[in-house]
């Protein structure tokens, strides 16, 4: 019980093993357990059912420079308590380090609770019931270059916090040893359960090159509702709640509540490798800070595979987007987004923000390949487009379904989008975009209910865009001040925006019976009037070289190009559920054809 005393000291051992099978107790100001500079390839084992180390400002467990040794703590009962001392440290090599059994805990005040750096976690892993650290600057948990055998598991026993509270850490921007709750680098199979993480100057969790990660029943927030985790959103810092660079393997977040990230609540940027699959299940994403960006940001920057599922989750506020998924480069991705409830009560939503943005492409090489299923969600309170799905200029493909969703709330003014469309599909050029939009309810938009745009590049482009739009209810255009001059349509196609565009579009809009869209009274003329009137649908074929195929369209009634009467005569009967819709001024610079009965 003196600062000079060690409970266990194993040093400079060159062969054989050591097993201490009895209970261990070191309290007061003991310097704890030291295993250092051992070159033996034997096993150093601590197998007693009780290993209690209370060391104050001194380290409790120090494992240093044991290159060939296997070090095991088995039987459970490892209980570490420090003030400013590091709880469990493993540095500079070991063949394998394992902590197994039940009831293992680490509690530190201002020290680092767990630090494994350039040492291999064994196949049995490090298993703790709880890990806690509160105050000071030292990062709570550090796993850095821990090998490919095993990982860390924090289990907890009940509610959030039973797995330990890590909180109130300060530190300089860019530091990994200070200001962070959990720092992960070149590690794998990390599982955090029932923890409470709050009030960090940098990040709650910062990870890079992590293979496999899960977090469950955990709360990340701040003690004061107006504070934030992180203080600097300028690249490369992008501080916030959870930030990963190159997370691969399988990953999940379940039954967690995450809020008050300075930039993003969850940020993932991968340049390579395969993430199959990141699953958010029953997660509540609260508002980020007033300086915030996105609630969830997923981005591929070069040549990665990003498969993501978001299901049964709730989003309540973001200054940027509630959900933002971006595939650049030659990335491949699949998104399943289903059963989620999205609203946005953030006090300072950015212009054009507040909704969901999905972007794929932007590469002159092979291009991105993206598939998606967005179904059975509710969206409301965007400032910009409620749901924006874009294929950027590249030769890749986007194929997906948007079905059985609800955008906006009946009779709640401007609740779909205060300044934009309900759903916008855009191909900026090259490749193929194929989307089915079926059985959705879209209300309270301030541009278009469903907008399909092929174009938008500064230079002429071509490509294929296939859309099937059936069974949708589109109603109640909004009245946001500042958008009154816009002529609002329930369905609006704008194909070819630049002279020289050569897009080939297929548009299956409505049909018989349940396929018909209910769009009567979905249009609203601008103030002052534009001369078009209250137009429910508008199909604009704007450029020579552009063709729009309308399956089943019989062609013009007389000689020459299609007229408004021709297009209206085809579309109005197919979309007359609830009343006959009105169409006008469709634009006939390009051509219309009517072959086939379906679009891809």
């Amino acid at each position: 019980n003196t600062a000079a005393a060690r409970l266990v000291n194993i040093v400079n051992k060159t062969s054989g093993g050591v097993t201490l099978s009895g209970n261990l107790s070191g309290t007061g100001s003991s310097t704890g357990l030291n295993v250092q500079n051992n070159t033996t390839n034997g096993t150093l084992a601590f197998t007693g059912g009780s290993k209690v180390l209370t060391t104050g400002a001194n380290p409790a467990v120090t494992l240093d420079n044991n290159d060939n040794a296997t070090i095991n703590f088995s039987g459970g009962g490892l209980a570490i308590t420090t003030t400013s001392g590091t709880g469990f440290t493993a540095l500079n090599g070991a063949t394998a380090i394992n902590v197994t059994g039940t009831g293992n805990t680490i509690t530190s005040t201002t020290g680092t609770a767990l630090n494994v750096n350039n040492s291999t976690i064994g196949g049995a892993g490090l298993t703790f019931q709880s890990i806690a650290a509160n105050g000071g600057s030292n990062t709570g948990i550090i796993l850095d270059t821990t090998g490919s055998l095993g990982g860390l598991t924090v289990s907890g026993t009940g509610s959030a916090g039973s797995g330990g509270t890590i909180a109130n850490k300060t530190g300089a921007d860019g530091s990994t040893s200070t200001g962070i709750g959990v720092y992960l680098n070149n590690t794998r199979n990390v599982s955090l359960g029932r923890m409470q993480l709050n009030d960090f100057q940098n990040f709650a969790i910062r990870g890079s090159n992590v293979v496999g990660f899960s977090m469950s029943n955990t709360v990340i927030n701040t003690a004061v509702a107006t504070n934030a985790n992180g203080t600097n959103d300028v690249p490369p810092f992008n501080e916030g709640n959870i930030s990963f660079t190159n997370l691969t393997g399988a990953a999940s977040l379940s039954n967690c509540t995450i809020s008050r990230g300075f930039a993003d609540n969850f940020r993932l940027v991968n340049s390579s490798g395969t993430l199959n699959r990141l699953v958010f299940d029953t997660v509540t994403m609260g508002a980020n800070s007033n300086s915030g960006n996105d609630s969830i940001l997923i981005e591929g920057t070069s040549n990665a595979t990003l498969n993501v599922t978001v299901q049964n989750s709730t989003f309540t506020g973001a200054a940027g987007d509630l959900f933002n998924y971006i595939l650049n480069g030659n990335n491949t991705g699949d998104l399943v987004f289903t059963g989620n409830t999205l609203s946005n009560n953030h006090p300072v939503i950015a212009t054009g923000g507040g909704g969901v943005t999905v972007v794929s492409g932007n590469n002159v090489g092979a291009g991105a390949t993206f598939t998606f299923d967005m179904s059975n969600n509710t969206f409301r309170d965007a400032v910009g487009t409620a749901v924006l799905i874009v294929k950027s200029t590249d030769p890749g493909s986007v194929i997906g379904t948007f079905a059985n969703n609800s955008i906006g709330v009946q009779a709640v003014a401007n609740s779909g989008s205060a300044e934009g469309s309900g759903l916008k599909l855009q191909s900026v050029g090259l490749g193929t975009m194929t989307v089915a939009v079926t059985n959705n309810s879209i209300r309270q938009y301030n541009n278009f209910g469903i907008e399909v745009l092929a174009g938008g590049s500064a230079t002429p482009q071509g490509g294929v865009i296939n859309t099937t739009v059936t069974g949708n209810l589109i109603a109640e255009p909004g009245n946001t001040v500042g958008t009154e001059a816009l002529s609002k349509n329930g369905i609006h196609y704008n194909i070819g925006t630049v002279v020289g565009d050569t897009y080939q579009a297929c548009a299956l809009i409505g049909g018989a019976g349940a396929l018909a869209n209910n769009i009567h009274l979905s249009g609203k003329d601008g103030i002052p009037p534009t001369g078009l009137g209250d137009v429910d649908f508008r199909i604009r074929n704007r450029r020579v070289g552009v063709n729009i195929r309308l399956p089943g369209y019989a062609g013009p009634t007389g000689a020459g190009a299609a007229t408004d009467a021709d297009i209206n005569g085809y579309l109005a009967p197919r979309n007359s559920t609830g009343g006959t819709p009105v169409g006008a001024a469709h634009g006939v610079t390009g051509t219309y054809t009517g072959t086939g009965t379906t679009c891809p």
Side-chain angles (χ1 to χ4, degrees):
N1 293 336
T2 68
R6 290 196 185 278
L7 178 65
V8 174
N9 197 45
I10 303 172
V11 297
N12 299 319
K13 188 167 181 61
T14 59
S15 63
V18 172
T19 298
L20 298 181
S21 58
N23 293 334
L24 303 175
S25 178
T27 61
S29 57
S30 167
T31 51
L33 185 157
N34 183 57
V35 179
Q36 190 170 12
N37 297 328
N38 295 289
T39 59
T40 179
N41 59 5
T43 298
L44 311 177
F46 305 87
T47 64
S50 176
K51 300 173 278 290
V52 178
L53 303 170
T54 304
T55 61
N58 296 312
V61 173
T62 302
L63 314 176
D64 188 7
N65 196 28
N66 301 289
D67 286 348
N68 300 314
T70 296
I71 305 172
N72 293 334
F73 294 81
S74 61
L78 176 62
I80 294 171
T81 304
T82 70
T83 55
S84 59
T86 301
F88 188 109
T89 303
L91 307 174
N92 302 317
T95 296
I97 301 169
N98 299 291
V99 178
T100 58
T102 60
N104 300 314
T105 63
I106 305 175
T107 302
S108 180
T109 306
T110 60
T112 294
L114 174 67
N115 183 6
V116 181
N117 197 318
N118 286 300
S119 294
T120 299
I121 298 174
L126 308 180
T127 302
F128 289 91
Q129 178 178 299
S130 67
I131 299 178
N134 194 336
S137 62
N138 294 303
T139 294
I141 296 174
I142 298 173
L143 301 180
D144 190 344
T145 314
T146 63
S148 60
L149 299 180
L152 168 68
T153 298
V154 180
S155 63
T157 57
S159 60
S162 64
T165 295
I166 301 178
N168 303 305
K169 297 294 184 180
T170 61
D173 294 339
S175 173
T176 59
S177 60
T178 63
I180 300 175
V182 179
Y183 175 69
L184 309 172
N185 180 54
N186 289 317
T187 190
R188 65 175 50 231
N189 300 336
V190 176
S191 177
L192 306 178
R194 299 177 170 85
M195 299 190 75
Q196 168 71 48
L197 306 175
N198 59 271
D199 296 283
F200 303 99
Q201 189 164 347
N202 296 340
F203 300 93
I205 300 173
R206 179 70 177 101
S208 58
N209 300 308
V210 176
V211 180
F213 173 83
S214 66
M215 186 172 76
S216 62
N217 302 289
T218 290
V219 173
I220 300 177
N221 58 7
T222 57
V224 178
T226 55
N227 289 347
N229 291 314
T231 58
N232 190 341
D233 63 351
V234 176
F237 303 112
N238 300 117
E239 292 173 355
N241 279 326
I242 302 175
S243 180
F244 280 99
T245 304
N246 289 333
L247 172 64
T248 58
S252 66
L253 286 80
S254 60
N255 298 294
C256 295
T257 299
I258 303 169
S259 62
R260 302 308 299 169
F262 187 76
D264 306 303
N265 280 332
F266 183 97
R267 177 185 177 91
L268 168 64
V269 180
N270 279 11
S271 61
S272 62
T274 297
L275 177 63
N276 191 21
R277 169 176 298 267
L278 169 59
V279 177
F280 297 84
D281 188 1
T282 319
V283 173
T284 297
M285 304 299 294
N288 55 14
S289 77
N290 286 359
S291 301
N293 185 33
D294 299 330
S295 194
I296 295 179
L297 169 63
I298 310 290
E299 183 175 2
T301 62
S302 182
N303 191 17
T305 296
L306 287 169
N307 296 333
V308 177
T309 294
V310 183
Q311 60 190 18
N312 309 317
S313 294
T314 301
F315 298 72
T316 64
D321 286 319
L322 293 169
F323 181 79
N324 192 354
Y325 179 100
I326 305 170
L327 288 183
N328 289 317
N330 295 322
N331 295 282
T332 299
D334 177 75
L335 172 65
V336 176
F337 196 91
T338 182
N340 303 296
T341 301
L342 296 90
S343 61
N344 202 335
N345 61 6
H346 200 283
V348 286
I349 300 174
T351 300
V356 170
T357 299
V358 177
V359 180
S360 176
N362 194 26
N363 183 21
V364 296
T369 301
F370 174 55
T371 55
F372 69 90
D373 176 6
M374 302 181 73
S375 58
N376 301 302
N377 306 287
T378 62
F379 306 90
R380 61 169 296 175
D381 305 325
V383 170
T385 299
V387 180
L388 172 63
I389 303 172
V390 178
K391 194 196 84 62
S392 293
T393 307
D394 85 346
S397 64
V398 171
I399 303 174
T401 298
F402 189 86
N404 301 303
N405 299 288
S406 175
I407 296 176
V409 180
Q410 185 174 8
V412 177
N414 311 309
S415 56
S417 171
E419 298 176 2
S421 297
L423 170 66
K424 181 175 180 179
L425 309 175
Q426 181 177 7
S427 173
V428 188
L430 305 179
T432 300
M433 184 176 193
T434 303
V435 182
V437 181
T438 61
N439 303 318
N440 302 284
S441 172
I442 302 174
R443 291 183 167 93
Q444 297 294 337
Y445 43 89
N446 275 279
N447 197 4
F448 308 117
I450 296 174
E451 178 181 3
V452 178
L453 172 62
S457 176
T459 59
Q461 298 291 336
V464 176
I465 181 165
N466 303 305
T467 54
T468 298
V469 180
T470 57
N472 301 286
L473 167 64
I474 306 175
E476 303 178 35
N479 60 1
T480 299
V481 175
T483 70
E484 295 99 328
L486 298 175
S487 177
K488 303 173 177 66
N489 312 136
I491 296 176
H492 184 100
Y493 277 65
N494 187 1
I495 311 299
T497 61
V498 175
V499 174
D501 278 351
T502 57
Y503 290 97
Q504 303 300 296
C506 183
L508 178 67
I509 304 171
L515 297 178
N517 297 295
N518 185 344
I519 58 175
H520 179 55
L521 302 181
S522 64
K524 183 178 180 181
D525 201 359
I527 302 175
T530 64
L532 295 177
D534 295 339
V535 177
D536 299 314
F537 62 87
R538 190 177 182 198
I539 314 299
R540 303 179 69 193
N541 185 334
R542 300 175 60 189
R543 303 297 171 191
V544 174
V546 169
N547 182 72
I548 299 177
R549 181 165 69 88
L550 303 172
Y553 168 60
T557 54
T563 65
D564 277 1
D566 296 327
I567 305 302
N568 292 347
Y570 164 75
L571 286 174
R574 300 171 61 89
N575 297 281
S576 291
T577 296
T580 302
V582 175
H586 301 298
V588 292
T589 303
T591 58
Y592 291 90
T593 56
T595 58
T597 59
T598 65
C599 292

